[in-house]
Amino acid sequence: LNLMGKGNSDPILLKGEILKEYDMERIMEGSVPHFPSSTAWFVQLMLAYYFGDYKLGVQMAMKHEEEDANEWSLAWAVPHPFFRGLVYLARARELKESKSSPGVSLYASRMGGTYRDLMKRAQTQVDRLRLFVKHEMINSLHMLKILEAELISLDAQATLPDIRRAYTAAIRVATRSGFTQDAALASERF
């Protein structure tokens, strides 16, 4: 509903005429511990990425990543490392592009780390998706290809043809797999 304009004026906040975050937590009382907050963090992570609020996205990704360490976690859910990787890489791109701005490193450390830390976190998500692909988990190959294209685009050694090939392959795999929304995400970056 947030994306349809029936939520709060800020589409990233999970509240509006239908749902409030605290209502979701109350509904889920007695279920698996931390499930409501982890779900809310993941939804906010996706919305933060879609609306370009990468600072919030990193916060949500880090919270969600911590919850993934718990035994009840939804680590099997393929979109989780995909969106965490997208947010880490998008925020790393912001830091790289604004590295000459004063105060960036101080602010970056408050928001989950430096460029290097974000790249390391993103690589962890890519490695997780590679494992999913290796074990033939459905619907993970196109996500891996998109994150790999993002990594290549941030590599100072990569040429424009290298970047173009990586995004073209990612878009092709996403389209052939029927994930037009993810093909569109990759197309926006390319």
Side-chain angles (χ1 to χ4, degrees):
L1 291 176
N2 281 17
L3 294 175
M4 296 179 351
K6 296 186 186 259
N8 190 354
S9 61
D10 184 348
I12 297 173
L13 296 177
L14 297 178
K15 64 182 183 179
E17 65 185 60
I18 303 297
L19 172 72
K20 294 177 179 59
E21 288 179 54
Y22 60 86
D23 287 341
M24 186 169 61
E25 290 181 10
R26 199 176 71 240
I27 290 167
M28 298 297 290
E29 272 181 25
S31 69
V32 180
H34 305 290
F35 182 78
S37 57
S38 180
T39 301
W41 293 334
F42 182 67
V43 171
Q44 283 184 303
L45 162 64
M46 290 190 307
L47 290 171
Y49 180 77
Y50 288 140
F51 288 98
D53 189 345
Y54 305 129
K55 295 172 197 168
L56 175 63
V58 167
Q59 289 176 328
M60 296 301 107
M62 291 174 68
K63 285 181 178 182
H64 193 263
E65 205 169 14
E66 289 170 14
E67 291 299 322
D68 251 5
N70 295 328
E71 62 184 65
W72 64 266
S73 81
L74 301 173
W76 52 266
V78 176
H80 296 189
F82 177 58
F83 275 95
R84 286 193 302 250
L86 285 173
V87 165
Y88 291 143
L89 291 167
R91 181 66 182 138
R93 184 180 316 284
E94 281 185 339
L95 291 176
K96 184 177 181 179
E97 290 171 358
S98 65
K99 67 182 177 181
S100 60
S101 300
V104 167
S105 62
L106 173 62
Y107 186 72
S109 65
R110 289 186 194 148
M111 294 308 297
T114 61
Y115 175 83
R116 181 179 289 204
D117 179 53
L118 291 166
M119 292 300 289
K120 183 177 177 183
R121 287 177 178 276
Q123 187 61 55
T124 298
Q125 303 310 312
V126 170
D127 292 343
R128 181 172 286 173
L129 280 172
R130 280 193 183 120
L131 185 63
F132 290 171
V133 169
K134 180 181 176 184
H135 291 288
E136 299 179 3
M137 291 181 74
I138 194 163
N139 305 335
S140 55
L141 179 61
H142 76 283
M143 294 179 187
L144 174 62
K145 292 291 185 188
I146 291 170
L147 288 183
E148 287 175 339
E150 288 287 302
L151 281 172
I152 291 170
S153 74
L154 285 166
D155 183 352
Q157 304 297 319
T159 65
L160 188 56
D162 294 336
I163 296 168
R164 186 177 319 217
R165 270 191 297 276
Y167 277 111
T168 300
I171 293 165
R172 186 177 301 123
V173 170
T175 302
R176 287 184 180 166
S177 301
F179 292 94
T180 54
Q181 75 280 9
D182 294 333
L185 284 177
S187 294
E188 286 178 8
R189 292 289 310 129
F190 178 59

